[in-house]
Amino acid sequence: MIAALSEVEVDYPRRRALGPFSLEIGAGEIVALVGPSGCGKSTAMRLLAGLEAPSRGRVARTPGRGETAVVFQAPTLAPWLSARANAALPLALAGVGRTEAAARADAALARVGLKGAEAARPAQLSGGMAMRVSLARALVTDPKLLLLDEPFAALDEITRRALADDVLALWAQARPAIVFVTHNVEEAVYMASRVVVMTKGPGRTAGEVATEAALPRAAGFRTTPAFRAQVEAVSALLSQGMAPV
Amino acid sequence: MTRLTRALAPFVLIAVLLAGWEIACRALSVPLYFLPPPLAIAQALAADWKPLLLSAWNTLSMALIALVVASVLAQALALAVGLSPIMERAVRPLAVVLQVTPVVAIAPLVVIWAGLDHAGRAIVALAVVVAFFPIFSGAVTGLKAADPDLELLFDLYGASRLQRLTRLRLPSAVPYLLEGHKVAAGLALIGAVVAEFVAGSGEAQGLAWRILESSHRMQTAEMFAAVLVLGAMGAALHAILEAAERAGLAWWRGR
């Protein structure tokens, strides 16, 4: 187990954001969180990251400091820093020396296919490239738990599919546990070994759909009947979770 | 052809307006003290350009000194405020009162404190008061303007308060500081001129002194000349600051 939420509830002033909601993430597992807007997916992510405490319920986490990484919907890069310095940020904050941090950042950038762009500033990068820098920054500490909060939502379909395959390839190298939030059912089924569907807010579990096919996916997985069936199953759970209680 | 026409259009309009002004003054025999024709103003400019430039420098240098002082004070205070929310609560109302009080209203007080023989000090102090707020306000806003998701990342990686300040909040504040300084520089110039009207110029005779002096003598053409120099100086300062802001932003985001 890498992280677990048991019966957590999060109350914000005037409204409940999440729960009661339970979720256990095993080591090396890829889990997709799917649900309607405002169901508390991002709140669940912050709980898993240890950035927020629940109002009720328990959060258990095994990763130590620097072993959890988050990628947001926007690249969230510092505009005044080069791609290298952005990717090296977690190391710099942990007090790793300049030379070593730069070398590790360059290696992380190379892993996400950005060799040669180390000195570029975010303003000089395309949306897809900036997202890759963000991914490199997340990978630079070799995290045990990687949280992706709608990471490809702002990208076009081609870039998004390319990045999904890249994330799976990167996962295959070090096998961190990955939890990612998405609105895109096909993306969820394509990338995750387990799709957790949430109800409308405050989110509870509407159901789960597991995928047997091996990760990373074989070419053409998107056209198999199994893929279609799972997309349909997730969609059915989603519309069920949207219905008024 | 169209590009040339476009580039020339404002100059043509100005020329037409000036010509109309000149002709109207002559045709209607407007007295010189009431409204001098453009040629008379040009003659005043040509005759007095040396003292006018000296006065312009006097005013500008006081505005620039005030800008530097205001910049140091405002940023130091903004940093203190940025580090402690309780300080912000304490300082905000005072800063606002300082901002909304017309500089003319406090000028006599400042003149007394600076010493009646030190008009220059009073002018700088008053220009500082005017230039302070935009820099302070920009700095306080800028220090809080960091991307909230980047703030979350700093939480995630356990950044210290110092790391958060030097690696996130200060760099994030740069565009706001540039904007604040641009606005403050223009205000410092206005502040210096207004203060000069109230406090007098002392030894260093600034442009406001020229305007007042010509006014007392009913030398309206000379007044116009001084106003013209002031306007030109303000426009030049504005252009320089715009360029500086653009260059600063380009450096900040690397393009």
Side-chain angles (χ1 to χ4, degrees):
Chain A
M1 191 274 291
I2 288 287
L5 309 178
S6 5
E7 293 293 308
V8 289
E9 295 173 45
V10 176
D11 293 334
Y12 289 143
R14 300 182 155 275
R15 69 181 183 93
R16 171 171 295 179
L18 176 69
F21 180 69
S22 297
L23 177 68
E24 191 173 316
I25 310 294
E29 198 183 12
I30 304 185
V31 177
L33 279 184
V34 179
S37 299
C39 73
K41 299 181 296 262
S42 296
T43 306
M45 293 295 254
R46 281 199 292 277
L47 292 176
L48 288 170
L51 287 169
E52 198 174 317
S55 309
R56 276 169 296 281
R58 256 174 39 80
V59 177
R61 290 167 33 79
T62 57
R65 185 181 146 169
E67 288 182 335
T68 305
V70 180
V71 175
F72 301 97
Q73 179 174 350
T76 318
L77 302 174
W80 59 90
L81 296 178
S82 65
R84 175 184 291 126
N86 265 297
L89 184 68
L91 301 174
L93 291 178
V96 174
R98 250 169 190 264
T99 332
E100 193 200 331
R104 284 171 65 182
D106 285 358
L109 287 170
R111 279 166 73 191
V112 298
L114 282 183
K115 203 170 171 53
E118 293 89 351
R121 297 285 198 90
Q124 296 162 327
L125 301 172
S126 69
M129 288 169 91
M131 211 59 227
R132 285 170 192 275
V133 176
S134 189
L135 204 53
R137 178 179 61 195
L139 293 172
V140 80
T141 54
D142 289 317
K144 292 204 166 49
L145 176 60
L146 179 56
L147 303 168
L148 311 176
D149 195 350
E150 297 193 47
F152 316 134
L155 303 174
D156 61 87
E157 187 60 26
I158 293 173
T159 312
R160 184 172 185 131
R161 289 198 177 194
L163 265 171
D165 282 325
D166 288 348
V167 167
L168 289 181
L170 290 165
W171 171 84
Q173 290 171 21
R175 304 229 163 198
I178 296 181
V179 182
F180 75 100
V181 166
T182 179
H183 278 292
N184 187 324
V185 175
E186 302 204 354
E187 187 173 275
V189 172
Y190 184 75
M191 288 183 69
S193 45
R194 190 151 64 93
V195 180
V196 175
V197 183
M198 293 172 75
T199 64
K200 64 175 189 163
R204 300 152 177 262
T205 310
E208 273 193 30
V209 175
T211 306
E212 303 294 325
L215 282 167
R217 307 301 191 198
F221 174 61
R222 278 195 175 88
T223 56
T224 60
F227 178 80
R228 294 306 331 164
Q230 269 151 11
V231 168
E232 285 314 314
V234 172
S235 302
L237 281 172
L238 254 180
S239 44
Q240 202 181 311
M242 300 276 272
V245 185
Chain B
M1 185 61 197
T2 41
R3 267 182 67 184
L4 190 66
T5 321
R6 268 222 295 237
L8 286 178
F11 298 101
V12 172
L13 179 65
I14 290 171
V16 168
L17 288 175
L18 287 177
W21 179 357
E22 183 77 39
I23 292 165
C25 280
R26 290 181 187 218
L28 303 172
S29 321
V30 179
L32 260 186
Y33 75 87
F34 187 77
L35 180 66
L39 276 180
I41 297 169
Q43 278 163 6
L45 259 179
D48 291 346
W49 68 272
K50 265 188 178 163
L52 275 175
L53 277 188
L54 188 66
S55 292
W57 170 245
N58 286 336
T59 301
L60 181 65
S61 60
M62 280 191 279
L64 290 180
I65 293 170
L67 181 66
V68 172
V69 175
S71 170
V72 171
L73 289 179
Q75 292 186 82
L77 192 63
L79 204 54
V81 162
L83 292 177
S84 132
I86 196 79
M87 268 288 274
E88 179 175 9
R89 280 193 73 81
V91 168
R92 261 286 171 190
L94 284 179
V96 170
V97 168
L98 194 64
Q99 186 215 4
V100 297
T101 309
V103 67
V104 185
I106 53 170
L109 265 176
V110 176
V111 171
I112 293 174
W113 293 336
L116 292 170
D117 305 334
H118 298 290
R121 287 187 202 168
I123 291 167
V124 170
L126 288 166
V128 167
V129 170
V130 185
F132 175 86
F133 196 78
I135 302 178
F136 175 73
S137 180
V140 170
T141 310
L143 285 172
K144 287 192 289 199
D147 183 331
D149 283 342
L150 270 177
E151 295 267 12
L152 268 184
L153 274 187
F154 275 65
D155 288 339
L156 186 70
Y157 292 112
S160 69
R161 288 180 65 151
L162 185 67
Q163 282 177 326
R164 193 181 293 268
L165 181 71
T166 57
R167 288 180 180 273
L168 178 60
R169 301 226 169 125
L170 285 178
S172 297
V174 166
Y176 296 84
L177 288 174
L178 290 171
E179 164 84 18
H181 279 85
K182 185 182 76 175
V183 175
L187 284 180
L189 186 61
I190 296 172
V193 173
V194 171
E196 222 182 295
F197 271 113
V198 185
S201 272
E203 312 254 295
Q205 294 155 352
L207 278 178
W209 181 86
R210 293 261 156 230
I211 294 169
L212 274 179
E213 180 73 1
S214 319
S215 148
H216 294 324
R217 299 177 185 208
M218 297 284 251
Q219 292 173 332
T220 315
E222 282 73 8
M223 259 174 90
F224 263 105
V227 171
L228 218 57
V229 171
L230 186 56
M233 188 168 74
L237 187 64
H238 182 79
I240 291 170
L241 289 162
E242 285 273 349
E245 190 191 20
R246 263 202 306 279
L249 276 178
W251 162 79
W252 185 74
R253 40 173 131 74
R255 139 183 200 175

